[in-house]
Amino acid sequence: MGNKIQLIDRLRLGFAVSVAKSVTFIVQFLRLGAASVLPGAIARRIEPRLLQLLSQQVKNGVILIAGTNGKTTTALLLCTILERKGYRIAHNSTGANLENGLMTALLESTNLLGILDVDYAILEVDENIVPKVLAPLQPRIILCLNLFRDQLDRYGEVDTISKRWTKVISTLPLETVVIPNADDPTLSNLGQQLPQRVLFFGLNEPEHYLEAIPHAVDSIYCPKCGHSLDYEGVYLSHLGDFTCPQCGFSKSKPTLESSEWSQILVGLYNKYNTLAAATAAIELGIDEATIRDTINNFQAAFGRAEDLVINGKRVRILLSKNPVGTNETIRVVTQSTDKTTLLVLNDRTPDGTDVSWIWDVDTEKLVERGGTLVVSGDRVYDLALRLRYSEKSPQSKLNLIVEEDLRQAIATALEHTPENETLHILPTYSAMLEVREVLTGRKIL
């Protein structure tokens, strides 16, 4: 009876894979997109256990990367490290991180018989579906990057998500390795509660402390007792060096000394991504020389500190989809001498339909420096209003240009960018895809 069930499973899986690959061919042939979601959705209808049946074929295990910010960059860096050692990787490189996107990523490396021949699967996963996919995926390593408020119309508060993570991760096999961010109080506490093997990553560089805790901070209260945490300093949002004066809870000790690791991508948030990937790579037995060399020659994922040259001018795209991420991209911009910035705000499903988060962003720092700010997107006037409210005096040196048409907004921003400067573009997720389509002439999804 068991062999019969296995044969039926194999036949159904093979049929599902064949249909998915046919859909992929049609979508790409007709240039309707990269087919990063639809094939998985259709194959899942045919074989509901598709995720389980495919993931259990991965030779060396699944590496799951979850968190609000940094998933794509961390996943690509770790993928690059492993590929340099000759490993074959299945990876949802387009950033499609819901269930159908995960299935599609695995299907891409599967033959027509439903056989998946890869060494590792590196899957970045939306933080809200982690509890749903852990059981079928049975990951070897789970990277927990951070938890910030993001898309409030779809998700609850970070404490709710963390509790769900803790509950489901604790049921996984004890050999599962969990790698949380030590600087995030919620995730540091998560790691301290788990029965599995836990490694932490984080910063030990007080010279990078912010001058003050941002008003967009998400969680400055002890996850154990609820008392206000004492911070020696913060690196971004609520990530920092902390202790609880009430119950003694404190930051977990990172496995790696952050000051000994370099980074090539701009922004302190990318140092976290670097440390997360390096910690996982070392756990997988990769030599430090390969890891460091890969880091020093790494190129950003699309839209994440990605540099392009358009009409002879440098353009840098910095995905800005929530208060914490946008504050960090603004910090990158204000630390440069470049004076032209394009901000694009959309409110579509991938972005979250609630754009009230822009009022938690420290746009004052961007406005104070003056220069030219071009704004566009579906909610261009909400964004323009936020920037106007950021002006502290009528004598502001800000040149604010409102342009509803994105293509024209990009052209205008390029016109205002001197030859020796870089145009920084800060878009939300769907806006980033549109910007790249305009700049490169092709779609991502």
Side-chain angles (χ1 to χ4, degrees):
M1 180 63 71
N3 291 333
K4 184 178 179 181
I5 294 175
Q6 290 179 3
L7 177 60
I8 292 175
D9 287 344
R10 178 62 63 190
L11 291 173
R12 185 181 295 153
L13 179 60
F15 179 59
V17 170
S18 298
V19 172
K21 287 188 177 294
S22 298
V23 172
T24 299
F25 174 79
I26 293 171
V27 171
Q28 294 181 347
F29 180 77
L30 296 177
R31 297 186 177 182
L32 300 175
S36 59
V37 175
L38 184 60
I42 294 176
R44 182 183 179 191
R45 290 294 186 99
I46 299 171
E47 174 48 82
R49 295 176 300 155
L50 184 70
L51 197 58
Q52 176 184 343
L53 293 174
L54 291 178
S55 61
Q56 67 187 16
Q57 297 183 57
V58 180
K59 294 179 181 178
N60 296 333
V62 173
I63 301 166
L64 186 150
I65 300 177
T68 309
N69 294 340
K71 296 185 291 293
T72 298
T73 299
T74 304
L76 181 58
L77 177 54
L78 182 56
C79 184
T80 305
I81 292 170
L82 293 175
E83 286 180 335
R84 288 192 60 186
K85 300 300 291 185
Y87 292 111
R88 290 164 297 178
I89 312 295
H91 171 215
N92 51 336
S93 57
T94 63
N97 55 28
L98 299 178
E99 287 173 276
N100 292 334
L102 305 183
M103 294 174 193
T104 299
L106 296 175
L107 285 167
E108 288 177 356
S109 301
T110 305
N111 67 18
L112 291 174
L113 298 177
I115 298 174
L116 179 62
D117 185 19
V118 296
D119 298 302
Y120 292 99
I122 297 178
L123 302 175
E124 51 179 285
V125 179
D126 183 282
E127 58 267 36
N128 207 42
I129 71 161
V130 168
K132 297 171 65 176
V133 300
L134 282 183
L137 286 177
Q138 290 292 299
R140 173 177 173 177
I141 293 178
I142 304 173
L143 274 168
C144 305
L145 300 183
N146 46 62
L147 282 176
F148 302 123
R149 283 177 297 149
D150 187 45
Q151 302 190 33
L152 294 179
D153 54 308
R154 293 204 290 135
Y155 301 155
E157 292 297 325
V158 296
D159 289 343
T160 302
I161 295 175
S162 173
K163 289 176 182 177
R164 292 204 299 263
W165 282 17
T166 304
K167 181 178 180 180
V168 69
I169 292 175
S170 63
T171 65
L172 294 175
L174 294 180
E175 57 266 27
T176 305
V177 178
V178 185
I179 306 178
N181 188 336
D183 295 358
D184 187 320
T186 304
L187 295 182
S188 196
N189 179 55
L190 177 150
Q192 292 177 18
Q193 296 183 66
L194 294 174
Q196 288 86 1
R197 183 159 175 260
V198 179
L199 306 173
F200 291 94
F201 70 94
L203 298 179
N204 291 307
E205 303 176 54
E207 64 272 21
H208 292 309
Y209 284 158
L210 293 174
E211 294 180 1
I213 296 179
H215 70 267
V217 67
D218 290 310
S219 178
I220 56 174
Y221 296 97
C222 177
K224 285 186 176 293
C225 71
H227 194 277
S228 296
L229 292 170
D230 283 345
Y231 275 89
E232 184 177 341
V234 295
Y235 297 107
L236 65 93
S237 186
H238 59 275
L239 308 188
D241 297 323
F242 54 84
T243 57
C244 176
Q246 181 76 18
C247 70
F249 168 72
S250 62
K251 168 181 171 176
S252 304
K253 181 176 176 56
T255 301
L256 302 179
E257 177 56 53
S258 66
S259 61
E260 298 176 357
W261 291 82
S262 62
Q263 66 178 100
I264 190 170
L265 299 181
V266 298
L268 195 62
Y269 54 95
N270 275 317
K271 185 64 175 284
Y272 279 111
N273 300 334
T274 299
L275 292 167
T279 303
I282 290 173
E283 171 62 22
L284 292 171
I286 308 300
D287 59 281
E288 284 197 18
T290 297
I291 298 171
R292 292 181 185 276
D293 187 62
T294 305
I295 291 170
N296 292 332
N297 293 280
F298 182 66
Q299 293 185 345
F302 64 87
R304 280 79 170 178
E306 179 184 18
D307 291 324
L308 303 171
V309 177
I310 307 296
N311 298 335
K313 295 184 179 180
R314 295 190 301 274
V315 176
R316 174 171 289 165
I317 304 175
L318 299 163
L319 179 65
S320 305
K321 62 188 181 74
N322 53 39
V324 173
T326 305
N327 278 340
E328 286 305 298
T329 56
I330 287 176
R331 178 153 53 152
V332 170
V333 173
T334 54
Q335 288 176 346
S336 74
T337 57
D338 306 306
K339 295 298 184 180
T340 305
T341 306
L342 169 61
L343 300 98
V344 191
L345 178 65
N346 283 356
D347 61 351
R348 303 173 195 177
T349 299
D351 313 293
T353 56
D354 182 353
V355 298
S356 62
W357 61 266
I358 63 174
W359 294 91
D360 287 330
V361 176
D362 296 326
T363 49
E364 289 77 9
K365 296 179 180 179
L366 191 60
V367 170
E368 285 172 14
R369 71 197 299 264
T372 298
L373 295 183
V374 183
V375 295
S376 189
D378 299 339
R379 302 297 289 268
V380 59
Y381 294 105
D382 296 79
L383 185 54
L385 180 65
R386 174 68 185 103
L387 294 173
R388 282 302 184 197
Y389 266 93
S390 301
E391 294 180 279
K392 293 185 176 180
S393 71
Q395 289 74 40
S396 170
K397 297 180 181 179
L398 174 66
N399 177 26
L400 180 63
I401 301 174
V402 179
E403 178 53 66
E404 293 183 20
D405 183 80
L406 178 60
R407 190 173 294 272
Q408 183 57 48
I410 292 173
T412 300
L414 284 169
E415 289 174 6
H416 282 79
T417 304
E419 294 289 342
N420 61 338
E421 292 189 6
T422 297
L423 168 62
H424 290 89
I425 302 180
L426 278 58
T428 54
Y429 188 79
S430 71
M432 179 268 289
L433 299 178
E434 290 184 303
V435 167
R436 289 196 83 262
E437 183 182 0
V438 172
L439 293 177
T440 67
R442 63 180 184 273
K443 292 183 179 180
I444 297 300
L445 299 179

